[in-house]
Amino acid sequence: DTEVTQTPKHLVMGMTNKKSLKCEQHMGHRAMYWYKQKAKKPPELMFVYSYEKLSINESVPSRFSPECPNSSLLNLHLHALQPEDSALYLCASSQANRATDTQYFGPGTRLTVL
Amino acid sequence: SQELEQSPQSLIVQEGKNLTINCTSSKTLYGLYWYKQKYGEGLIFLMMLQKGGEEKSHEKITAKLDEKKQQSSLHITASQPSHAGIYLCGADVNTGNQFYFGTGTSLTVIP
């Protein structure tokens, strides 16, 4: 099973809402990632979790709050977002956070902020 | 500046034609990955190259890594409409636990 699942597939939220994106993998991977992808641009790394600890935060605004409750789950909590945060949010996982570890991606959550 | 540059930016080919996409790094490559993305969807892992001179094939797609030139190429033989999408190369170019994506190549295959 090389599947990374993400829910929901689509999310529309207002600027005052609080919502969460969820990512799950059952491959025993110990590194998980959040990426943000704007239209016609490559994905940009937001956060990296390695062994359930946040190891990289790419200067992401605090209105995005990641959480890794266990080795299979990764959440991204959203609060007070701006319309420019509308994008495809991709989750990925890899065996560990090493250069030679293949990252497997989920299908993404399409987020629209009104 | 972009760590990984892809060329061409977009490509329109007739079905059945061969094509090549290039990915060039400004720094040393430590593992080079190729992904395919349908517009607005997640990334599908195609293949990974680790060693200079390595070449891998999957169905009609072949990827090569030229470590000296810090470049990888993706070649599609006898393209089909199902090959259409955005192709992204990805790599760790600093061994600093950061993964970079290339600028992307949009491929359209005309039946």
Side-chain angles (χ1 to χ4, degrees), chain A residues 33 35 37 39-45 48 56 58 88 90 97-108 110, chain B residues 2 30-33 35 37 39-45 48 50 86 88 92 95-99 101-104:
Chain A
Y33 312 77
Y35 290 85
Q37 186 178 26
K40 299 186 180 179
K41 298 280 185 187
E44 294 173 356
L45 185 65
V48 180
I56 293 177
E58 287 291 326
L88 181 70
L90 291 163
N97 187 19
R98 297 170 300 206
T100 54
D101 290 322
T102 302
Q103 290 188 29
Y104 293 90
F105 284 81
R110 171 69 61 190
Chain B
Q2 281 284 350
Y30 296 91
L32 191 290
Y33 300 79
Y35 293 89
Q37 185 178 28
Y39 178 69
E41 297 180 11
L43 297 172
I44 300 165
F45 169 69
M48 176 198 170
Q50 271 191 273
I86 298 165
L88 284 164
D92 182 320
T95 67
N97 296 328
Q98 286 186 280
F99 195 79
F101 284 96
T103 45

